[in-house]
């Protein structure tokens, strides 16, 4: 029995010291000194990585290896302190903490693989490149930069849609360039230019070069000369390059800048909202701290008045009023705080300020637009198929089916791949003959699609 009591006693003592130690760790990881310590470690890690170069001395390699071990140990200590102070559920609730744990874990894995002889110390590996991501830890302790990163992440959907649109634009103009300029940038007295449309990968690079504005006019001049020079019909080729440059550079690429400016405005408004909320919490805390002083002053004044009246021995206060004063005196210590702790989100340091809702309208990407099926007209189609014709109803059901739409999209994709696989230099090659047979199949499918869509609605 004594042994069990000792076990219970030491268990309670251990829990007491554990709570005290976790409280101290929680205060430490939330202090400004801890944040600056982490920032200094990140800067030292960046400096150590920046000193790496080709054919460096063995002494520098050894110094970098030891520095990496020391910095990795410090980052591991930081991670373990946060895990112990916050607890594993609260620690992994933050996406930044998950990212930090991933970077530290890959660093430890890299160290283990190096010692096991699987990879060299200066070998090129993905695990070693992940060390560069430690520089992103600065964003957590820089409020404005953290808000900017959060705004950019919230706009990933819009940026992804724009990237898809830009990719389709590049693919379309690359395929069109292969059909118009493929194998024609061969001039007798001049070397073959690097920017050509002889293959699909080369056409993609050329179109991207034109979009960036890098020597795009030289490519246009080569295209004009390939079709007979600056006269009819060669001068009409310039329309292709002008449309590509204007639409791609002045419209699509500048949309990225518009999205970035919008995100900057949202990040700035978020930073101002956080500052205003922090000032409001400080003001409420100051008022809350002054309330006990006011209550003690009121209590002292009331006690002084009652003492003077009792010393005189005169009942100058009516009974009902005296009962009210006595009731007030008995409850004066129970004056309620007009700002209870629940009104102070700042008291709980784990709670972050809420992100204010943007006054801007909802983007089109967030709207779920449901496409309605086009009803079949009451009039007859081609003066043959009436409104109750079974074949016409069957065609209407087919074109409104999701499977039909997916099949057509698949054939469009296959047709685009066949265009990209053509050889513009040798039109009579075996590959082009096979693709010509496939083109007949694609043409038949698209013709059937047109017929099925025309019959129900014409």
């Amino acid at each position: 029995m004594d042994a069990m009591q000792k076990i219970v006693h030491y268990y309670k003592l251990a829990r007491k010291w554990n709570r005290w130690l976790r409280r101290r760790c929680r205060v430490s990881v939330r202090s400004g000194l801890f944040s600056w310590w982490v920032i200094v470690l990140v800067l030292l890690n960046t400096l150590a990585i920046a000193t790496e170069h080709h054919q460096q001395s063995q002494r520098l390699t050894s110094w970098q290896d030891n520095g990496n071990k020391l910095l990795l140990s410090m980052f591991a200590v930081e991670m373990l302190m946060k895990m112990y102070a916050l607890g594993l559920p609260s620690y992994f609730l933050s996406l930044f903490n998950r990212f930090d744990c991933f970077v530290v874990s890959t660093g430890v894995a890299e160290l283990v693989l190096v010692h096991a002889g699987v990879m060299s110390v200066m070998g090129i590996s993905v695990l070693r490149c992940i060390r560069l991501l430690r520089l992103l830890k600065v964003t957590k302790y820089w409020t404005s930069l953290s808000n900017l990163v959060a705004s950019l992440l919230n706009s990933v959907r819009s940026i992804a849609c724009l990237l898809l649109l830009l990719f389709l634009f590049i693919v379309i103009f690359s395929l069109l360039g292969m059909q118009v300029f493929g194998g024609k940038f061969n001039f007798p007295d001049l070397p073959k230019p690097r920017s050509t449309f002889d293959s699909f990968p080369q056409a993609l690079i050329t179109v991207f070069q034109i979009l960036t504005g890098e020597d795009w006019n030289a490519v246009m001049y080569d295209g004009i000369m390939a079709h007979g020079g600056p006269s009819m019909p060669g001068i009409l080729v310039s329309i292709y390059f002008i449309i590509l440059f204007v639409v791609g550079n002045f419209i699509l690429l500048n949309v990225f800048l518009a999205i970035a400016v919008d995100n900057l405005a949202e990040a700035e408004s978020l930073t101002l909202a956080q500052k205003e909320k922090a000032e409001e919490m400080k003001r409420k805390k100051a008022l809350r701290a002054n309330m006990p002083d006011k209550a003690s002053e009121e209590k002292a004044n009331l006690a002084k008045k009652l003492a003077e009246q009792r010393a005189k021995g005169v009942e100058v206060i009516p009974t009902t009023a005296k009962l009210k004063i006595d009731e007030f005196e008995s409850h004066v210590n129970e004056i309620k705080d007009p700002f209870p702790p629940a009104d102070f989100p700042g008291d709980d340091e784990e709670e972050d300020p809420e992100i204010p809702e943007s006054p801007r309208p909802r983007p089109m990407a967030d709207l779920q637009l449901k496409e309605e099926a086009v009803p079949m007209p009451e009039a007859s189609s081609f003066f043959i198929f009436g409104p109750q014709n079974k074949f016409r109803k069957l065609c209407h059901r087919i074109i409104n089916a999701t499977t039909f739409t997916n099949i057509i999209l698949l054939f469009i994709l296959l047709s685009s791949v066949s265009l990209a696989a053509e050889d513009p230099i040798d039109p009579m090659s075996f590959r082009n003959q096979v693709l010509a047979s496939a083109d007949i199949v694609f043409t038949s499918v698209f013709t059937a699609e047109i017929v099925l869509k025309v019959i129900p609605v014409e």
Side-chain angles (χ1 to χ4, degrees):
M1 191 65 183
D2 294 338
M4 183 61 66
Q5 290 179 353
K6 287 183 179 181
I7 293 175
V8 173
H9 171 71
Y10 286 121
Y11 174 74
K12 292 182 178 179
L13 188 62
R15 288 191 59 184
K16 179 181 178 181
W17 281 101
N18 179 52
R19 287 194 299 268
W20 180 84
L21 187 58
R22 287 191 64 180
R23 193 179 300 112
R24 297 296 298 177
C25 286
R26 191 178 297 112
V27 173
S28 299
V29 298
R30 291 172 177 172
S31 62
L33 183 61
F34 186 84
S35 302
W36 280 107
W37 176 62
V38 174
I39 292 175
V40 170
L41 289 179
V42 172
L43 295 179
L44 291 176
N45 177 78
T46 306
L47 181 62
I49 296 176
T51 55
E52 296 180 2
H53 60 274
H54 183 59
Q55 294 182 350
Q56 63 183 14
S57 62
Q58 185 63 30
R59 180 180 179 182
L60 181 59
T61 302
S62 177
W63 178 83
Q64 291 170 350
D65 188 25
N66 296 330
N68 179 41
K69 293 178 181 178
L70 178 61
L71 292 173
L72 180 61
S73 302
M74 295 295 101
F75 287 123
V77 169
E78 176 210 359
M79 182 185 69
L80 294 176
M81 285 183 63
K82 287 185 176 180
M83 286 183 177
Y84 179 69
L86 303 177
L88 292 180
S90 300
Y91 177 83
F92 287 105
L93 192 62
S94 173
L95 294 177
F96 188 87
N97 289 337
R98 299 178 194 173
F99 169 76
D100 188 25
C101 181
F102 169 72
V103 174
V104 174
S105 301
T106 51
V108 174
E110 175 200 356
L111 196 62
V112 172
L113 293 176
V114 168
H115 283 281
V118 178
M119 56 179 289
S120 62
V121 178
M122 293 298 296
I124 300 176
S125 64
V126 177
L127 296 180
R128 193 167 185 83
C129 295
I130 292 177
R131 290 171 51 195
L132 301 174
L133 300 178
R134 293 174 185 168
L135 188 60
L136 297 177
K137 292 170 66 71
V138 180
T139 60
K140 184 177 181 181
Y141 305 102
W142 192 346
T143 306
S144 301
L145 184 60
S146 178
N147 293 336
L148 178 59
V149 172
S151 300
L152 290 175
L153 292 177
N154 290 333
S155 62
V156 168
R157 182 183 300 177
S158 301
I159 295 177
C161 295
L162 181 61
L163 286 175
L164 179 60
L165 178 62
L166 181 61
F167 175 73
L168 293 177
F169 180 81
I170 293 175
V171 169
I172 290 173
F173 272 83
S174 299
L175 296 176
L176 181 59
M178 289 177 60
Q179 300 298 321
V180 179
F181 306 106
K184 295 184 179 180
F185 280 16
N186 298 317
F187 306 104
D189 300 332
L190 298 175
K192 188 174 182 178
R194 291 183 296 177
S195 302
T196 63
F197 294 87
D198 293 345
S199 62
F200 184 66
Q202 185 64 38
L204 287 176
I205 297 175
T206 304
V207 170
F208 183 76
Q209 174 188 342
I210 296 173
L211 290 181
T212 57
E214 178 65 27
D215 205 16
W216 74 276
N217 52 344
V219 183
M220 181 180 67
Y221 297 149
D222 291 339
I224 293 175
M225 294 303 297
H227 283 271
S231 60
M232 296 298 292
I235 195 65
L236 297 178
V237 174
S238 61
I239 298 176
Y240 168 85
F241 295 96
I242 293 173
I243 294 177
L244 174 59
F245 184 75
V246 171
V247 176
N249 192 4
F250 292 153
I251 297 178
L252 290 180
L253 292 182
N254 284 334
V255 173
F256 284 102
L257 181 60
I259 294 176
V261 171
D262 185 65
N263 292 330
L264 287 173
E266 291 184 358
E268 185 178 359
S269 62
L270 177 59
T271 303
L272 292 176
Q274 289 179 346
K275 289 182 178 179
E276 292 177 358
K277 193 163 187 178
E279 292 176 358
E280 182 68 17
M281 287 189 293
K282 290 181 180 179
R283 187 183 65 82
K284 288 184 177 181
K285 285 182 178 180
L287 292 175
R288 182 184 174 191
N290 294 332
M291 285 306 299
D293 298 336
K294 295 181 179 179
S296 60
E297 291 179 1
E298 293 178 1
K299 179 181 177 182
N301 294 333
L302 183 58
K304 185 178 179 180
K305 291 180 180 179
L306 292 175
E308 291 176 355
Q309 293 172 0
R310 289 170 181 171
K312 294 179 180 178
V314 181
E315 286 288 342
V316 295
I317 304 176
T319 306
T320 56
K322 185 176 182 299
L323 290 175
K324 291 182 180 180
I325 292 176
D326 293 339
E327 182 181 358
F328 176 78
E329 184 181 5
S330 62
H331 292 83
V332 70
N333 292 326
E334 300 178 4
I335 297 178
K336 292 184 178 180
D337 190 354
F339 301 104
D343 295 339
F344 290 86
D347 291 347
D348 186 4
E349 297 183 4
E350 296 182 6
E351 185 173 353
D352 296 329
E354 296 179 357
I355 299 178
E357 295 183 359
S358 175
R360 300 179 179 84
R362 294 177 61 191
M364 292 297 296
D366 294 341
L367 299 178
Q368 299 294 332
L369 301 179
K370 184 178 180 181
E371 184 178 356
E372 297 181 357
V374 179
M376 189 170 58
E378 295 295 334
S380 61
S381 176
F382 296 104
F383 304 101
I384 299 175
F385 304 102
Q388 303 300 326
N389 187 273
K390 294 183 179 180
F391 180 71
R392 187 180 181 186
K393 289 183 177 180
L394 177 62
C395 293
H396 186 266
R397 285 196 300 268
I398 291 175
I399 64 175
N400 288 308
T402 307
T403 306
F404 178 79
T405 305
N406 295 334
I407 292 175
I408 297 300
L409 290 176
L410 176 61
F411 275 95
I412 291 174
L413 179 61
L414 295 177
S415 176
S416 302
V417 172
S418 67
L419 289 175
E422 288 184 359
D423 186 5
I425 299 178
D426 186 8
M428 302 305 297
S429 62
F430 175 75
R431 181 174 59 183
N432 285 356
Q433 293 178 4
V434 174
L435 293 176
S437 302
D439 186 60
I440 297 175
V441 176
F442 297 143
T443 304
S444 303
V445 172
F446 295 142
T447 303
E449 175 198 7
I450 293 175
V451 173
L452 290 175
K453 288 185 176 180
V454 167
I455 290 178
V457 297
E458 267 301 324

